[in-house]
Amino acid sequence: MEAMKRKEGYMLRRIGKSYMIVPVIGKTIHLKGIITMNETGAYLWELLEKEISKEELLEKMLLEYQIDRETAEADISEFLEKSGNMGILS
Amino acid sequence: MTKGQTLFLKILAASLVGEKIPCKEITKDFWLCARKEETVSWQDLQKIAKEQALTALINDYMLTWELETMPESLQETLQRQALTSAMMYYQMVNFVFMILDIMKQEGIYGCILKGIGLSIYYPREEMRKTGDVDLYIPNLKEFETFCQIVKKHGFKQEKSITDHHISFSYILEGTKLELEVHKKPINSQTNISFNKAVEAIFEPFSKQGQTLFSYVEVMNAMVPVLPAEENAFYLLLHMLQHFLNGGMGFRLLCDWAVFLRREKISFQKLLFLIKQSKIEGFAYMMTGLCIAFLGLSKENVPWMEGHMPQMKEMEVFLKDMFDGGEFGEQDRSRMLIPMDTSSFRAYVKELHRQMCLRFHRAGKFPFLWPLLWLATGVIFIYNNKYLRNTSVKDIMKSAKKRGKLLESMSLFIDTKQKNS
C-alpha cells in the first residue's frame, strides 16, 4: 500500500463554513494557490499530516462520518486526485 | 440601548470567545428584511455591524453557529464575503512581510502596531478588519532613513495632518495599500504632562528597540510587536486618541478585550504605565465595558477589583460608541473634545493643538501663531460647511456633551489629588 503525506508550507484555515488550504512559501502567501474545500476535505488534510495509506484514510473516515463505504471511497479518490493534480501531496 | 444594539453586543461577545450563545431572537423571521417594531431583524444587526466595521466578525459568527434557520441564499452571500475578507487579510499579511523584509535589508528596527499583530488574538484572525499597516520606528534617525528608503521601493507619500506618523501608499498586485510609519505611538495631546509621560514610557525603544521588542507568529512567520505591557498600554492610548477626536467604536474595544483575554500581561507593570500617564479612569471604563458587554472574565483582569464603573456611566459611554460608529464617522458634528467644558481656555488650547498639527513647521515660530490660529479657524469653518456638512454650533454642542463624558473619567488628573 502506497503511503502519502501532505507537503510542508500549507496552512489549513476555516473560513465561514468552508475551509481553505493556504500556501505559505518562505514569507509569502500565494494567493493564487489557495484551495477551498469542505469539512470532509479538511478532515482528510489533517490526517495527511503523517504518512498514511488510502486504505487507512478510508477506515478513519468511516469511523468519523456516518457514510457508506462506497461514498467514502469516492470522496477520498476525488480528494486525492485533485490534491495530486495541485501538487500538494508527496 | 435598542434591542438591535443589545443583540449586537451579545453576538459580538460570543464571536470574540468563539462559542455559540443561545439566541431566542434568531428565528426564521429574524432573517426577513422587513422591519418590525417589536422585533430585531438581520437588517438591524447588519446596519450596526457596518457602522462599527465589524461585519466580517459578526457574519463569520452567524455562518459558524446560526445556519439552522439562515436562508441558503444568504449563506452563500456571507460565505463569499468571508472568503473576500480572508483574501484581503492574506494580502495585508504579505504587505507586512514585504515591509519587514525591507527593514531587515536596511538594518532598521521597528515593530508592527495593532493590525495583524492583534488579529492573532481573535478566534479567526482573518475576520478582524485591518485597514492599513502601522509600523513603529522609535529611533528618529532610522525613522527618517526608512521614510526615504520606502520611496525608492515604490511607496508614495500621502498627505496627513498629524505629528506622529507619515502615511504612504503602495500598489500590491493591483490593490492600493496604506502604510503609516510612526515615530511616536500617538498624536500629541493638549495635556503637556501626559505627552511627556507617554514620551518617557516609549523612550527606551528609541535606544534599544531591537532588544525590547517581542514577537508573535503570524502565518508561520515571526512579526515584531511591542512587549505585552507596552502593547496593552498602546492599545489604551490608541483608543483614547480616537475618543478625543471623533470617537471610538467597538472594533478598538474588541482588540482590548481579546488582548486582555489571551495575552500574558504583568498587571503590575501595566498599572504603573497607566498611572504614570494618569489615564486610570479611561482604562477602568474600557475594561469595565469589556467585562460587562464583551464577555471578558474578571479573572483575566484582577486589577479591576473595586474599580468597576457604574452601569449608568458605562451606558453613557456605550451610547457614545453606538452614536459615533467606528471613529465617530456616523456623527459629522464630532471632531474635538475639550478637557474642561467650563473653560474657554480648553477650546483655545485645542485650537492651538490643531494649528500645530496642521502647520507643524511654521508652528515652531511663535511670532506666526496669530496668523496660523486665524488660518486654522478659517479652514475649520470651511471644512465644516463644505466637507462635513455641519455647523460650528453643532460641533461645539457635540464637543461640550462629549467633554462631560470625559470629565467623568477624571482623565489626566491625579486620582490622589482628586480624592483629597
Side-chain angles (χ1 to χ4, degrees):
Chain A
M1 254 188 314
E2 200 185 330
M4 62 203 115
K5 195 184 164 189
R6 68 187 195 213
K7 279 187 183 169
E8 293 291 319
Y10 291 88
M11 293 181 83
L12 178 69
R13 315 288 307 170
R14 182 170 177 185
I15 305 295
K17 56 176 187 171
S18 71
Y19 291 81
M20 275 173 152
I21 291 179
V22 184
V24 189
I25 300 161
K27 273 190 179 176
T28 307
I29 300 168
H30 288 255
L31 299 179
K32 285 178 184 161
I34 290 176
I35 304 157
T36 52
M37 55 178 58
N38 59 17
E39 195 190 328
T40 320
Y43 176 70
L44 293 171
W45 180 259
E46 291 284 18
L47 292 176
L48 284 157
E49 190 187 0
K50 291 176 186 162
E51 285 216 334
I52 191 165
S53 68
K54 193 176 171 181
E55 194 54 40
E56 284 168 322
L57 281 177
L58 180 64
E59 293 309 319
K60 286 190 186 282
M61 198 166 158
L62 287 171
L63 278 176
E64 182 73 17
Y65 298 98
Q66 288 178 333
I67 48 171
D68 59 80
R69 199 172 184 90
E70 211 170 276
T71 312
E73 265 180 337
D75 281 354
I76 293 172
S77 297
E78 193 190 339
F79 175 83
L80 292 178
E81 194 191 333
K82 279 187 183 171
S83 306
N85 290 342
M86 285 166 184
I88 57 177
L89 297 181
S90 58
Chain B
M1 266 197 294
T2 65
K3 283 184 177 175
Q5 290 169 345
T6 308
L7 180 65
F8 168 77
L9 287 179
K10 201 170 164 185
I11 292 174
L12 189 59
S15 72
L16 297 179
V17 183
E19 283 173 7
K20 183 175 167 61
I21 45 145
C23 263
K24 62 176 186 342
E25 295 91 338
I26 303 171
T27 60
K28 278 190 179 169
D29 285 345
F30 169 80
W31 304 103
L32 300 173
C33 283
R35 217 169 157 180
K36 294 174 194 167
E37 268 187 26
E38 292 305 308
T39 56
V40 185
S41 74
W42 170 242
Q43 203 183 27
D44 297 325
L45 191 70
Q46 286 295 285
K47 185 177 176 283
I48 301 170
K50 196 177 169 195
E51 285 168 0
Q52 299 292 339
L54 286 166
T55 309
L57 198 65
I58 292 288
N59 291 359
D60 181 65
Y61 171 83
M62 299 308 250
L63 260 185
T64 312
W65 301 108
E66 294 293 349
L67 289 178
E68 274 175 34
T69 53
M70 191 192 289
E72 234 165 77
S73 60
L74 185 59
Q75 288 184 28
E76 283 165 24
T77 309
L78 295 192
Q79 184 61 38
R80 274 199 303 275
Q81 286 174 0
L83 292 176
T84 307
S85 298
M87 295 303 261
M88 282 163 69
Y89 174 75
Y90 298 141
Q91 195 168 39
M92 199 55 87
V93 173
N94 275 344
F95 188 43
V96 170
F97 289 170
M98 188 187 103
I99 292 162
L100 293 177
D101 261 354
I102 298 174
M103 290 171 71
K104 197 177 170 189
Q105 283 166 27
E106 304 293 338
I108 287 170
Y109 294 98
C111 71
I112 299 295
L113 298 173
K114 48 197 174 72
I116 68 161
L118 268 185
S119 303
I120 56 156
Y121 296 96
Y122 282 77
R124 215 159 358 256
E125 63 194 74
E126 290 88 346
M127 296 304 133
R128 180 193 179 271
K129 188 187 164 200
T130 303
D132 57 13
V133 174
D134 293 272
L135 176 69
Y136 176 43
I137 302 182
N139 183 290
L140 198 59
K141 210 173 159 191
E142 290 188 0
F143 166 84
E144 281 162 3
T145 309
F146 187 75
C147 289
Q148 292 309 314
I149 286 167
V150 285
K151 287 180 194 164
K152 289 179 195 161
H153 284 268
F155 286 68
K156 193 182 152 211
Q157 189 170 336
E158 301 284 342
K159 275 186 187 172
S160 55
I161 308 169
T162 173
D163 67 349
H164 70 303
H165 69 69
I166 294 181
S167 302
F168 293 93
S169 62
Y170 183 81
I171 308 290
L172 183 67
E173 294 173 356
T175 309
K176 188 179 175 185
L177 299 171
E178 285 169 33
L179 165 69
E180 284 179 3
V181 187
H182 294 243
K183 60 180 168 185
K184 293 197 295 181
I186 61 160
N187 238 334
S188 299
Q189 301 300 319
T190 45
N191 189 293
I192 293 164
S193 65
F194 168 77
N195 291 338
K196 280 184 179 167
V198 172
E199 214 169 281
I201 287 166
F202 286 92
E203 218 262 329
F205 292 97
S206 65
K207 289 175 183 155
Q208 40 175 329
Q210 70 275 30
T211 56
L212 298 176
F213 293 140
S214 292
Y215 288 84
V216 291
E217 194 179 332
V218 181
M219 302 298 287
N220 279 352
M222 300 312 279
V223 171
V225 291
L226 288 171
E229 295 76 22
E230 279 85 355
N231 209 352
F233 179 64
Y234 166 73
L235 292 180
L236 275 174
L237 292 181
H238 183 235
M239 286 192 284
L240 179 64
Q241 176 179 263
H242 281 292
F243 176 69
L244 293 176
N245 292 316
M248 58 158 282
F250 286 93
R251 193 165 69 98
L252 303 188
L253 196 66
C254 287
D255 287 345
W256 182 235
V258 292
F259 192 79
L260 290 178
R261 179 180 294 122
R262 298 212 161 85
E263 185 54 84
K264 282 182 188 155
I265 302 170
S266 152
F267 291 117
Q268 232 173 350
K269 188 175 173 191
L270 175 60
L271 276 185
F272 174 75
L273 301 178
I274 290 170
K275 283 179 182 168
Q276 285 282 98
S277 50
K278 300 187 179 80
I279 58 168
E280 295 111 295
F282 185 75
Y284 295 145
M285 175 60 80
M286 294 301 105
T287 315
L289 288 170
C290 293
I291 295 170
F293 301 100
L294 295 185
L296 179 68
S297 162
K298 282 184 180 171
E299 285 164 20
N300 290 123
V301 280
W303 49 278
M304 277 298 286
E305 206 181 321
H307 296 294
M308 194 69 188
Q310 297 287 316
M311 187 50 86
K312 215 174 163 186
E313 289 170 3
M314 288 197 284
E315 278 172 356
V316 175
F317 206 99
L318 275 188
K319 189 176 182 318
D320 188 76
M321 292 170 80
F322 275 121
D323 288 349
E326 198 197 23
F327 308 142
E329 284 153 359
Q330 296 302 313
D331 182 354
R332 288 178 178 171
S333 65
R334 289 179 178 206
M335 72 160 291
L336 52 89
I337 180 164
M339 290 294 154
D340 176 4
T341 49
S342 58
S343 127
F344 178 70
R345 202 166 156 249
Y347 290 92
V348 174
K349 272 171 101 175
E350 181 59 30
L351 174 73
H352 182 75
R353 187 179 80 95
Q354 296 281 343
M355 179 275 280
C356 291
L357 292 176
R358 191 170 283 280
F359 305 105
H360 56 275
R361 281 197 186 141
K364 286 172 188 163
F365 304 103
F367 67 94
L368 287 175
W369 286 358
L371 191 69
L372 299 177
W373 287 332
L374 186 69
T376 308
V378 170
I379 293 168
F380 176 62
I381 293 166
Y382 178 89
N383 285 350
N384 292 342
K385 193 168 180 183
Y386 297 103
L387 299 180
R388 296 185 197 103
N389 291 324
T390 185
S391 67
V392 174
K393 198 178 155 192
D394 283 343
I395 287 182
M396 298 315 260
K397 248 165 87 179
S398 161
K400 199 167 181 179
K401 195 175 136 198
R402 300 191 67 239
K404 286 201 168 134
L405 188 58
L406 195 64
E407 280 167 21
S408 70
M409 287 184 287
S410 312
L411 209 62
F412 311 140
I413 298 169
D414 204 322
T415 40
K416 282 178 203 157
Q417 243 178 41
K418 196 197 162 205
N419 295 336
S420 61

